[in-house]
Amino acid sequence: MSAARALRPPARRTGLWIVGILLCCAVFIAVYEYFVRSNSGQWVEYAMLDAAAERVSSLSERGFDLWWLSPVIIALPAVIFLVVVLARQRFLAALIAAGTVVGANLSTQVLKTLWLERPDLDNGVPYWTGNSLPSGHTTLAASMAVAVFLVSSPRQRPFVAVLAAFYAGLVGAYTFTETWHRPADVIAAYLVVAVWALIGGWLVMRTGPEWNTAVVDYEPETAPLAGLAWFLGVTLTVVAVLCFLFSGGWSGIALAGEEPSLWHWFAGLFFSIGPGFLMAAAGINLFGAETGRRQRGAPVPSPKGETVRYPIPPEFSELYRV
């Protein structure tokens, strides 16, 4: 790629962001249709949730008072968010990031309580509760972490994304272990937050092109941490599938109500964490690719794509005369 073609404004390919949003929506629909509305999907989730209820003691059963969970989910990333915003004075980006948090959490509540239903199918799966997809706790944790990601500089975002995946994954896995949510609820929450992260990310880059543009030859290094996130996401998801095989496959799932398997608990645990790293990895790659590029000391390239003109040293001016 030539130097001229390498120069670009941030978030220049709006269509790519739209494709990402549509892809997240499509995966969300697929998760809901299979795990909530199909016989086999409900059995898979029942096997994991029943194993968590019968084979693992939750923290609440061990006497731990959990009233502090939601405040901690909010407070920890909120402090980091405020420090970054005040130190860098990224107030417009902060408003956009706050909007993504509100939008993601409102979307989750509307989807869970008003739009989506969990049918009581005649398939032998106990109807424990109504619809619980997406997970509200996971949405809150992931959206707060994404807010920090959005106001961070392009060079810091890969590291923040990996931490966000750890943070949201920890909360998601915890809600599964406590049998508050099924793994599909957690995955759906990641997808809701991903949609709003894409919307907020595009707006942050377009409204703050100066700090979302890197100098050519001094660009953010995304490959190592993106590779780590892809590795963890793929590995944990594959391990989750293997846990189902170790438990006997479909035969083991059919016996879930009678003989809960610890393998099913491990499967649910890894399914609650792995997809979060996959989305973090995709986010690192997208935001890295859409970060602007400019020459040192030059202004940010225009979104309209005007021809880039380079200064000609006076001693060489004769060579460029027509």
Side-chain angles (χ1 to χ4, degrees):
M1 181 182 292
S2 67
R5 288 178 58 84
L7 303 182
R8 57 181 184 267
R12 74 193 189 285
R13 294 174 290 189
T14 302
L16 190 61
W17 296 79
I18 295 175
V19 169
I21 292 171
L22 294 177
L23 181 60
C24 289
C25 292
V27 176
F28 180 95
I29 293 172
V31 168
Y32 171 69
E33 288 294 329
Y34 179 69
F35 287 104
V36 177
R37 295 177 59 84
S38 74
N39 287 316
S40 60
Q42 284 196 359
W43 267 105
V44 170
E45 284 207 309
Y46 172 61
M48 294 184 287
L49 195 64
D50 190 51
E54 300 296 334
R55 297 299 301 271
V56 179
S57 296
S58 65
L59 290 179
S60 56
E61 292 175 342
R62 297 176 183 179
F64 290 93
D65 190 356
L66 305 175
W67 63 267
W68 45 264
L69 181 60
S70 293
V72 168
I73 291 175
I74 297 173
L76 185 58
V79 170
I80 301 174
F81 176 81
L82 290 174
V83 169
V84 174
V85 170
L86 294 176
R88 301 296 183 180
Q89 298 187 356
R90 294 169 183 162
F91 302 115
L92 180 56
L95 288 175
I96 296 172
T100 64
V101 173
V102 174
N105 285 275
L106 283 179
S107 298
T108 284
Q109 296 306 318
V110 169
L111 288 168
K112 179 162 55 177
T113 60
L114 299 179
W115 285 3
L116 304 180
E117 296 181 353
R118 184 176 185 87
D120 186 6
L121 302 177
D122 186 17
N123 56 5
V125 175
Y127 192 75
W128 285 1
T129 182
N131 178 58
S132 57
L133 180 148
S135 164
H137 283 88
T138 307
T139 300
L140 181 60
S143 62
M144 292 297 295
V146 162
V148 178
F149 174 83
L150 292 178
V151 299
S152 297
S153 67
R155 190 167 297 279
Q156 296 169 334
R157 279 180 181 144
F159 178 70
V160 174
V162 173
L163 287 184
F166 272 109
Y167 185 68
L170 182 63
V171 173
Y174 175 75
T175 62
F176 163 69
T177 300
E178 292 289 314
T179 67
W180 295 350
H181 283 287
R182 304 167 178 88
D185 302 347
V186 175
I187 297 172
Y190 294 149
L191 291 165
V192 170
V193 174
V195 168
W196 283 96
L198 290 170
I199 296 172
W202 186 88
L203 290 172
V204 164
M205 284 194 170
R206 283 301 187 97
T207 57
E210 293 81 9
W211 63 274
N212 282 291
T213 299
V215 176
V216 174
D217 298 329
Y218 191 65
E219 303 174 18
E221 186 62 53
T222 60
L225 288 171
L228 175 63
W230 281 117
F231 173 77
L232 292 174
V234 171
T235 300
L236 291 172
T237 304
V238 170
V239 169
V241 174
L242 291 176
C243 287
F244 274 112
L245 298 179
F246 296 154
S247 67
W250 286 109
S251 299
I253 291 174
L255 297 174
E258 302 173 5
E259 301 176 11
S261 172
L262 193 59
W263 285 115
H264 289 151
W265 178 79
F266 279 116
L269 187 71
F270 294 136
F271 267 134
S272 299
I273 302 174
F277 280 101
L278 293 177
M279 293 181 216
I284 292 172
N285 289 143
L286 175 63
F287 277 76
E290 287 294 282
T291 296
R293 302 291 189 274
R294 64 178 176 83
Q295 292 285 2
R296 186 178 298 277
V300 177
S302 168
K304 298 181 180 179
E306 287 93 340
T307 302
V308 179
R309 300 184 181 278
Y310 298 96
I312 301 173
E315 57 270 26
F316 298 110
S317 60
E318 292 291 334
L319 299 176
Y320 288 87
R321 289 182 179 175
V322 178

